[in-house]
């Protein structure tokens, strides 16, 4: 494929997360990994810790703690200054980077004059990715490598429901790229976008993975690579369980289920665009580039359980019909209520007279309860966790679901959801039992030593 072509089937999207660009040394390392001749779009996150600091700055402004916000901004500026001092050897690049960061920090300071809303917060949150991309561009320039900046705010757009507008993203990206037919290296900000009102917005925390997947889908790329600080998706949460191991292959649906149900390595929505265009997603370790990582594709390895994930912050609602049975129309009324208050339901189980379901967004819970209590008795369990075991869960495979339930036999289980997908079984437990549950599952399903 030659570089003048409008086809991007030779192009690779490479996304580097916060730790991968978290220090001068890491940034240099990314420089090494992206300097080959292959045509690529490189997506960068904010340096690790920066988005959290920007969230804190916003909260301080929001609470009218202007001095607190200004102190935090100073701390952030100094963090960047340390990295810049170490990263650039030529004073010209160093000066340019320091000036760029100083401008952005002054922009953050300017919010002290503002009436502070979500609109202002979204502008603050966007600065981490914008700075990463400029720092990388200057670093590459210092190495004599030309990288073209694709400003995410010019092509990454969402519709009025907050969903990415893929046709628009595609046409804007192709238009931007058409100006550089001979270029092979492009860099862009993850996470940030413009919404339907052309305001600065974002794809939610961890959203740089989603940016990479959307670019891959928009350009029909060869591969989407998510470079992070671990050698692929592990069979259990490595922050909780010792001795987890990397899963080499996952089907798109397995990966989507794991991401949705809490495997932090992937943004919950990022598999969908890749699956739609059948573009393989590879999870790789920027600290250990030779490691095999995980490949996510449309290939399914039958007859095996792959991995376990956990999603905290779940609320369960038991909705008991005021009549003796789940009369006709009851389900519709219940689900309409959740739809009206734009609250997604994750797990559902039913009995003759009741529905139990879970939600993770409780912003509208008060209103939902008020509505539901007109037709039902409702009880609420908070601080729950969904544990998902993912793999080949075709119902004709004998014994898979029972192994999962058996593993948790010593714990109180609130709900079990099986059969909704061919790829997973979900179990609702109390959050306080999560660590125990994850360890038991590793031991029983993967025969792993757990402490
Ligand atoms: P990045 O900053 O590169 O986006 P993240 O912190 O978002 O990285 O994701 C990588 C982290 O996800 C790992 O360091 C690991 O602690 C955590 N993680 C949680 N569950 C898993 C899992 N099943 N497999 C691998 N990593 C996981
Ligand atoms: N910087 C953003 C975050 O911390 C996006 C990302 O890292 O994917 O959530
Ligand atoms: Mg991430």
């Amino acid at each position: 494929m030659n570089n003048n072509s409008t086809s991007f089937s030779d192009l690779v999207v490479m996304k580097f997360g916060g730790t991968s660009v978290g220090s001068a040394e890491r940034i240099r390392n990314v420089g090494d990994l992206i300097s080959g001749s292959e045509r690529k779009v490189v997506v960068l996150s904010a340096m690790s810790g920066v988005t959290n600091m920007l969230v804190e700055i916003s909260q301080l402004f929001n609470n009218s703690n202007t001095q607190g916000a200004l102190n935090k901004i100073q701390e952030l500026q100094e963090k960047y200054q340390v990295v810049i001092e170490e990263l650039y050897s030529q004073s010209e690049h160093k000066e340019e980077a320091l000036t760029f960061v100083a401008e952005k920090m002054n922009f953050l300071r300017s919010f002290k004059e503002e009436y502070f809303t979500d609109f202002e917060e979204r502008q603050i949150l966007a600065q981490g990715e914008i700075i990463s991309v400029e720092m990388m561009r200057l670093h590459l320039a210092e190495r004599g490598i030309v990288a073209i900046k694709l400003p995410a705010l010019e092509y990454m757009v969402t519709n009025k429901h907050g969903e990415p507008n893929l046709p628009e993203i595609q046409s804007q990206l192709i238009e931007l790229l058409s100006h550089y037919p001979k270029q092979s290296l492009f860099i862009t900000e993850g996470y940030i976008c413009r919404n339907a009102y052309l305001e600065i917005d974002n794809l939610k925390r961890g959203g740089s993975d989603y940016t990479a997947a959307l670019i891959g889908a928009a350009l029909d790329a060869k591969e989407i690579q998510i470079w992070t600080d671990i050698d692929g998706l592990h069979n259990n949460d490595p922050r909780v369980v010792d001795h987890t191991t990397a899963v080499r292959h996952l089907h798109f649906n397995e990966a989507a289920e794991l991401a949705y149900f809490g495997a932090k390595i992937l943004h919950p929505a990022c598999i969908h665009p890749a699956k739609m265009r059948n573009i393989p997603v590879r999870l790789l370790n920027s600290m250990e580039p030779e490691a095999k990582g995980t490949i996510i594709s449309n290939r399914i390895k039958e007859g095996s359980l792959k991995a376990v994930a956990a999603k905290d912050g779940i609320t369960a609602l038991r909705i008991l019909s005021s009549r003796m049975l789940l009369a006709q129309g009851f389900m519709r009324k219940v689900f309409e209520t959740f739809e009206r208050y734009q609250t997604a339901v994750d797990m559902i189980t039913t009995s003759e007279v009741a529905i139990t379901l879970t939600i993770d967004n409780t912003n509208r819970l008060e209103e939902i309860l008020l509505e539901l209590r007109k037709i039902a008795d409702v009880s609420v369990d908070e601080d729950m966790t969904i544990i998902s075991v993912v793999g080949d869960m075709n119902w004709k495979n004998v014994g898979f679901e029972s192994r999962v339930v058996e593993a948790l036999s010593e714990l109180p289980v609130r709900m079990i959801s099986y059969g909704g997908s061919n790829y997973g079984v979900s179990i609702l437990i109390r959050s306080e039992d999560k660590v125990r549950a994850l360890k038991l599952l590793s031991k029983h399903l993967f025969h792993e030593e757990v402490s």
Side-chain angles (χ1 to χ4, degrees):
M1 190 66 50
N2 76 51
N3 280 356
N4 290 325
S5 165
T6 49
S7 161
F8 298 98
S9 56
D10 65 334
L11 180 141
V12 174
V13 182
M14 300 173 80
K15 175 259 169 173
F16 293 88
T19 27
S20 300
V21 292
S23 67
E25 191 197 343
R26 304 301 331 146
I27 294 173
R28 274 193 213 106
N29 177 56
V30 172
D32 296 340
L33 292 170
I34 65 178
S35 58
S37 60
E38 195 170 33
R39 197 150 62 132
K40 60 185 80 73
V41 176
V42 174
V43 177
L44 300 179
S45 294
M47 284 171 53
S48 59
V50 167
T51 309
N52 285 346
M53 285 177 85
L54 295 170
V55 169
E56 282 176 53
I57 290 165
S58 304
Q59 280 165 353
L60 290 162
F61 276 134
N62 200 25
N63 297 338
S64 307
N65 184 348
T66 306
Q67 195 49 51
L70 293 176
N71 293 346
K72 226 349 130 217
I73 296 169
Q74 190 58 31
E75 193 187 316
L76 183 58
Q77 184 159 7
E78 283 162 18
K79 178 181 164 93
Y80 278 122
Q81 282 163 346
V82 170
V83 177
I84 290 170
E85 238 0 275
E86 197 188 329
L87 181 60
Y88 303 99
S89 48
Q90 296 164 12
S91 57
E92 170 203 343
H93 293 113
K94 195 173 280 184
E95 281 314 311
E96 228 181 298
L98 285 170
T99 308
F100 189 86
V101 167
E103 273 170 18
K104 299 299 163 198
M105 296 302 127
N106 286 338
F107 176 64
L108 298 186
R109 289 182 185 104
S110 73
F111 288 98
K112 72 175 199 279
E113 323 288 348
E114 304 271 334
Y115 173 67
F116 203 81
T117 68
D118 177 56
F119 171 75
E120 283 74 28
E121 171 165 18
R122 285 184 269 118
Q123 296 181 56
I124 291 182
L125 296 187
Q127 301 312 313
E129 272 67 15
I130 291 174
I131 294 173
S132 285
V133 168
E134 181 60 9
M135 281 175 59
M136 182 61 74
R137 189 188 70 77
L138 288 169
H139 168 65
L140 293 167
E142 201 169 72
R143 292 169 69 158
I145 301 167
V146 178
I148 303 295
K149 210 194 271 198
L150 300 173
L153 299 178
E154 290 181 23
Y155 68 86
M156 189 53 69
V157 283
T158 53
N159 62 24
K160 63 179 192 315
H161 305 292
E163 310 276 348
N165 180 345
L166 196 55
E168 189 63 19
I169 294 167
Q170 180 168 32
S171 68
Q172 299 291 351
L173 255 182
I174 291 176
E175 152 66 16
L176 279 173
L177 289 166
S178 72
H179 297 289
Y180 308 98
K182 300 237 157 55
Q183 267 297 322
S184 58
L185 177 57
F186 298 91
I187 52 175
T188 191
E189 302 90 356
Y191 176 60
I192 63 176
C193 62
R194 262 186 213 283
N195 62 26
Y197 313 98
L198 302 179
E199 298 163 351
I200 295 181
D201 211 327
N202 59 64
L203 301 173
K204 309 279 178 313
R205 294 305 303 269
S208 298
D209 303 335
Y210 201 18
T211 302
L214 290 163
I215 295 172
L219 299 178
D220 220 344
K222 181 166 111 185
E223 185 169 285
I224 298 158
Q225 299 178 353
I226 308 288
W227 290 81
T228 181
D229 57 357
I230 187 164
D231 58 338
L233 191 138
H234 279 219
N235 58 5
N236 206 330
D237 191 330
R239 295 165 300 177
V240 178
V241 179
D242 297 331
H243 310 298
T244 57
T245 48
V247 182
R248 293 286 159 237
H249 301 274
L250 284 171
H251 186 269
F252 286 124
N253 294 345
E254 293 173 328
E257 193 119 347
L258 286 163
Y260 186 75
F261 285 117
K264 190 195 172 220
I265 187 168
L266 283 174
H267 179 278
C270 83
I271 293 301
H272 179 69
K275 179 187 162 190
M276 211 169 53
R277 297 276 160 95
N278 194 18
I279 303 170
V281 177
R282 207 179 280 276
L283 309 183
L284 293 158
N285 187 352
S286 64
M287 325 271 170
E288 209 189 316
E290 303 309 320
K292 285 203 184 81
T294 300
I295 176 97
I296 302 165
S297 72
N298 63 2
R299 282 185 42 214
I300 178 95
K301 184 168 170 241
E302 287 178 3
S304 67
L305 292 178
K306 300 287 182 51
V308 181
K311 184 172 170 180
D312 295 323
I314 301 295
T315 299
L317 272 66
R318 181 161 184 270
I319 306 160
L320 181 68
S321 168
S322 318
R323 305 208 202 155
M324 290 303 287
L325 297 168
L326 286 183
Q328 253 186 5
F330 180 75
M331 293 261 197
R332 179 174 51 75
K333 282 187 197 146
V334 168
F335 289 107
E336 264 174 9
T337 308
F338 287 91
E339 191 184 343
R340 191 166 323 119
Y341 295 104
Q342 294 171 335
T343 300
V345 170
D346 284 334
M347 289 175 72
I348 309 169
T349 55
T350 63
S351 77
E352 183 196 5
V353 287
I355 305 172
T356 299
L357 49 77
T358 68
I359 57 174
D360 67 355
N361 175 357
T362 51
N363 291 345
R364 313 290 298 271
L365 184 57
E366 286 302 312
E367 292 146 289
I368 290 171
L369 289 176
L370 215 61
E371 291 266 327
L372 290 178
R373 285 186 170 138
K374 291 179 190 157
I375 54 164
D377 288 336
V378 187
S379 56
V380 179
D381 289 317
E382 291 169 335
D383 300 323
M384 307 296 282
T385 291
I386 296 177
I387 303 279
S388 269
V389 181
V390 166
D392 178 10
M393 280 288 181
N394 188 312
W395 66 275
K396 290 176 183 155
N397 292 335
V398 176
F400 280 57
E401 72 289 356
S402 57
R403 278 167 64 197
V404 175
V405 176
E406 258 166 46
L408 300 179
S409 59
E410 60 192 69
L411 293 178
V413 168
R414 175 72 185 79
M415 269 170 96
I416 301 176
S417 180
Y418 172 68
S421 116
N422 279 339
Y423 300 95
V425 51
S426 302
I427 306 211
L428 188 72
I429 57 167
R430 296 181 308 204
S431 296
E432 65 196 76
D433 294 328
K434 174 178 96 167
V435 172
R436 184 98 196 97
L438 291 181
K439 288 183 175 176
L440 283 167
L441 286 164
S442 262
K443 190 167 162 211
H444 282 79
L445 304 181
F446 310 124
H447 307 290
E448 266 159 11
E449 292 290 313
V450 286
S451 48

